[in-house]
Amino acid sequence: MNKMNQLYEGKAKKVFATEDAEKVIVSYKDDATALDGLKKGTIAGKGSINNRMSNYLMQLLEKQGVKTHFVEELNDNETVVKKVSIVPLEVIIRNISAGSFAKRYGVEEGIVFEKPTIEFSYKNDDLHDPLINSYHALALGLATEEEINTIKTMAFKVNEVLKEYFLNLNVKLVDFKLEFGRLTDGTIVLADEISPDTCRFWDADTNEKLDKDRFRRDMGGVEDAYQEMMRRVFGE
Ligand code: TMP
């Protein structure tokens, strides 16, 4: 499969057309942004780590019955995925308080929830991805009621699979963001990526942060954290 014209360039990835109208090639970059793009940098090796980790996790999820966009890894940074139209919602699942949840509700990080939570943000850079509820998403025509129900069910299933998987690697899956897409026949599939950019990972013994928060919060040790997660997943 060959890369043809570039269809899109985002903050962390580029998307290229292929000779197959139903498939595209995603190319992962080392570029990193945070705080709505205000903070910019690069994380050496991030592109290949996110590509390989995301592909591994998507295949794990497929085996557990979660439909994803994954087709084939081409090389360290590039993957063939099914072409989707992205549902403009960021779907966030939380198991432990952190980040914007802790800030919004004035609680400390690290509270373990009895049940995971779900929330949606409206993917719209001009509006800074505002928090939105499912009724608002329906009213705005971002997704149908059936699609929203499917997305909720799939997101919690992803959480169950990944929480257990990461705990076996001595990692707490604190929270994460998912995106979903529609195939041409309307089927909802998990899309985008699952990586240290889009998840919070804490070492289960020390609570050391092993994800992009080290970049967001200028903590240092960013590359080491990504490599440590890679080592735990692939034993490298
Ligand atoms: P938050 O606590 O800042 O709302 O983030 C929740 C989770 O979503 C966290 O694992 C990081 C991830 N996330 C993204 O992947 N992209 C984003 O733009 C934001 C704000 C968060």
Side-chain angles (χ1 to χ4, degrees):
M1 189 135 312
N2 292 302
K3 270 193 296 193
M4 290 165 51
N5 53 307
Q6 184 175 306
L7 297 173
Y8 172 79
E9 177 162 10
K11 292 168 192 154
K13 299 189 277 300
K14 293 179 186 177
V15 180
F16 296 89
T18 68
E19 54 269 31
D20 183 339
E22 309 236 315
K23 297 198 177 91
V24 295
I25 292 174
V26 179
S27 178
Y28 284 72
K29 307 189 282 185
D30 286 352
D31 297 349
T33 65
L35 310 171
D36 234 350
L38 229 59
K39 184 184 178 75
K40 288 190 176 68
T42 56
I43 300 173
K46 172 171 93 76
S48 78
I49 289 173
N50 287 6
N51 181 46
R52 295 181 56 208
M53 194 183 296
S54 189
N55 291 342
Y56 180 84
L57 296 173
M58 295 259 179
Q59 289 173 89
L60 183 85
L61 288 163
E62 287 274 0
K63 282 190 207 132
Q64 300 295 322
V66 178
K67 293 191 189 96
T68 79
H69 69 168
F70 177 80
V71 177
E72 182 194 5
E73 186 169 289
L74 286 181
N75 56 53
D76 277 1
N77 285 74
E78 294 176 330
T79 296
V80 182
V81 300
K82 292 177 186 160
K83 187 172 186 177
V84 298
S85 106
I86 287 282
V87 177
L89 294 171
E90 299 201 340
V91 181
I92 294 159
I93 297 276
R94 301 179 191 271
N95 296 305
I96 299 176
S97 66
S100 70
F101 182 98
K103 199 169 170 190
R104 181 177 312 116
Y105 301 120
V107 296
E108 73 267 33
E109 297 198 308
I111 302 165
V112 179
F113 303 144
E114 223 161 272
K115 276 177 69 166
T117 68
I118 190 164
E119 74 212 40
F120 302 105
S121 293
Y122 175 25
K123 257 175 82 73
N124 183 315
D125 280 341
D126 294 337
L127 300 175
H128 313 294
D129 301 340
L131 196 63
I132 189 175
N133 71 33
S134 48
Y135 290 88
H136 293 170
L138 256 179
L140 290 169
L142 307 182
T144 66
E145 196 162 6
E146 193 189 346
E147 286 174 335
I148 291 171
N149 288 336
T150 301
I151 286 170
K152 284 182 184 163
T153 303
M154 287 174 76
F156 282 121
K157 169 84 181 180
V158 169
N159 186 45
E160 290 313 309
V161 174
L162 294 188
K163 211 170 49 175
E164 191 192 335
Y165 170 75
F166 282 111
L167 206 52
N168 279 319
L169 305 178
N170 211 39
V171 170
K172 291 180 193 169
L173 179 60
V174 174
D175 57 30
F176 56 93
K177 185 263 301 181
L178 301 175
E179 294 185 26
F180 292 85
R182 299 177 187 97
L183 301 180
T184 40
D185 69 358
T187 307
I188 294 282
V189 297
L190 180 62
D192 194 51
E193 67 179 276
I194 309 172
S195 71
D197 272 22
T198 62
C199 303
R200 285 196 172 94
F201 297 128
W202 293 359
D203 179 88
D205 295 324
T206 65
N207 283 341
E208 184 189 356
K209 295 183 196 309
L210 297 172
D211 57 61
K212 193 179 167 190
D213 266 354
R214 303 196 75 90
F215 172 80
R216 296 187 187 101
R217 301 178 187 192
D218 293 319
M219 296 170 74
V222 185
E223 277 89 357
D224 285 349
Y226 278 69
Q227 264 154 28
E228 175 60 20
M229 282 307 301
M230 199 60 180
R231 197 186 62 71
R232 294 202 194 186
V233 171
F234 289 103
E236 289 174 5

